[in-house]
Amino acid sequence: MRLDKFVLRSTALTKAQVITAIEAGQVCVNHGVIKDVKHQVHENNLIQLNHQTLTPRPFRYLLLHKSADKICSNVDGHYPSLFNDIDIDNKDELHIVGRLDADTTGLVLITDDGRWSFNITRPEMSCAKLYRVSLAKPLSTQAIKQLEQGILLDGETKPTLPAKITTVNERQVLLSITEGRYHQVKRMFFAVGNKVTQLHREQIGEIKLNTASDQWRYLTEAEVNSFNS
Ligand code: URA
C-alpha cells in the first residue's frame, strides 16, 4: 500500500494534511524518514507520524441498494453520488466495486480494500453478476442463443464470454455474466436488435441484494471471505 494511503487510514488527517506531513519529513518507516508519498509500505512495517506508531483502521465492506438517478462516483455530478446515502466517517477512503449506470438500480459493493475489489473485478475470477433485464420487445429464441454463446459488441474485436439467460416473461430475463465491459448489458441486447428499458443488479458472486432501495449494510464475514480465494 502507498504510504499516503496508510497514513490516511491510520489518522483523522485529510488527504492534503497527510501529503503535507509526509513531505515535511514527519513520517518514518522502520525508523527512516520517508518523504515520498508513493513509497510502498506493508502492514507489518513500523510506521510513525511524529514518533507515534500508526495502526490502520480495519477494512470496511458495504453493500448498497442503488436507486435510479444516483451516480456511482465519490462526488456529485449530473445526479447525486450514492455516497450521500451512506452516513459513516472517512467516506473518501471508499471506492465502488463495479459501477452501475445512473439509470441502473440494484446491488453495489463498496470498500476501501483494493486487493479485495481487484479479486472481484479481474476477469480470471469469473465472478458472476446477475441482472434482471426488462426489454422493449420480446426476446427471440435465436437472440437468446446468440447471447448465451457470446456476441461481438460494436467496436470490439472479442466476443463476450458465454452468458446464462433465464426467461421470466416475454419481456424480462435474468442474465448472468462474468465480465464487466462498458455498458455491457445494454450493448448486448442492442446487438440482438432489442433495447433494455430497465436494468437491476440482484447478485454479485454469492452476495445477494437484501436491503430496501437506498439502504446499505456491512457485509458479513462470510460474504467478505467469499471473494478471498
Ligand atoms: N451493464 C450496463 O449496460 N449497465 C450497467 O449499469 C451495468 C451493466
Side-chain angles (χ1 to χ4, degrees):
M1 182 191 307
R2 279 169 54 141
L3 181 58
D4 54 353
K5 279 249 169 93
F6 186 100
V7 178
L8 193 65
R9 268 194 56 216
S10 317
T11 64
L13 299 180
T14 64
K15 276 183 190 164
Q17 288 168 331
V18 166
I19 292 168
T20 305
I22 294 172
E23 291 181 346
Q26 293 169 13
V27 176
C28 287
V29 178
N30 297 335
H31 302 292
V33 172
I34 299 288
K35 293 188 178 179
D36 176 10
V37 295
K38 293 184 188 157
H39 183 84
Q40 287 294 318
V41 293
H42 194 265
E43 304 237 341
N44 55 20
N45 291 153
L46 175 68
I47 298 165
Q48 294 170 303
L49 170 67
N50 294 326
H51 310 291
Q52 298 289 317
T53 300
L54 301 181
T55 310
R57 290 181 279 280
F59 286 123
R60 294 175 292 176
Y61 307 90
L62 291 71
L63 166 164
L64 172 82
H65 184 159
K66 178 188 172 303
S67 56
D69 298 344
K70 297 272 169 67
I71 51 168
C72 283
S73 161
N74 285 60
V75 290
D76 293 340
H78 191 59
Y79 293 108
S81 154
L82 50 70
F83 280 97
N84 292 306
D85 295 320
I86 301 172
D87 186 20
I88 57 175
D89 290 337
N90 305 108
K91 281 195 282 191
D92 58 344
E93 291 173 26
L94 298 168
H95 63 265
I96 293 157
V97 188
R99 290 158 194 272
L100 294 177
D101 299 334
D103 58 351
T104 302
T105 57
L107 171 56
V108 176
L109 297 177
I110 298 169
T111 185
D112 47 6
D113 183 350
R115 194 168 302 182
W116 186 77
S117 49
F118 180 64
N119 269 344
I120 299 172
T121 51
R122 70 192 161 116
E124 315 86 82
M125 277 296 280
S126 301
C127 172
K129 272 85 61 179
L130 183 71
Y131 294 91
R132 185 173 291 267
V133 190
S134 302
L135 297 162
K137 294 190 278 185
L139 194 62
S140 67
T141 317
Q142 171 64 14
I144 293 177
K145 219 182 237 173
Q146 282 177 280
L147 293 167
E148 283 185 332
Q149 281 170 354
I151 193 159
L152 197 59
L153 300 178
D154 198 25
E156 298 202 5
T157 51
K158 266 192 183 169
T160 55
L161 290 174
K164 285 187 195 142
I165 294 187
T166 310
T167 303
V168 178
N169 60 44
E170 240 194 0
R171 292 186 194 194
Q172 194 177 84
V173 295
L174 291 174
L175 171 80
S176 175
I177 53 173
T178 56
E179 300 170 287
R181 301 191 199 181
Y182 182 67
H183 295 322
Q184 178 160 346
V185 177
K186 291 174 184 165
R187 290 166 69 214
M188 283 172 74
F189 286 92
F190 183 76
V192 293
N194 213 315
K195 187 175 186 298
V196 173
T197 54
Q198 268 186 329
L199 186 56
H200 180 74
R201 188 157 65 195
E202 297 198 340
Q203 190 169 342
I204 299 179
E206 307 282 305
I207 302 177
K208 291 183 181 160
L209 185 62
N210 58 359
T211 59
S213 190
D214 293 326
Q215 301 299 305
W216 68 274
R217 65 171 174 87
Y218 285 110
L219 297 185
T220 65
E221 204 176 327
E223 286 173 328
V224 172
N225 289 337
S226 67
F227 294 113
N228 285 333
S229 59

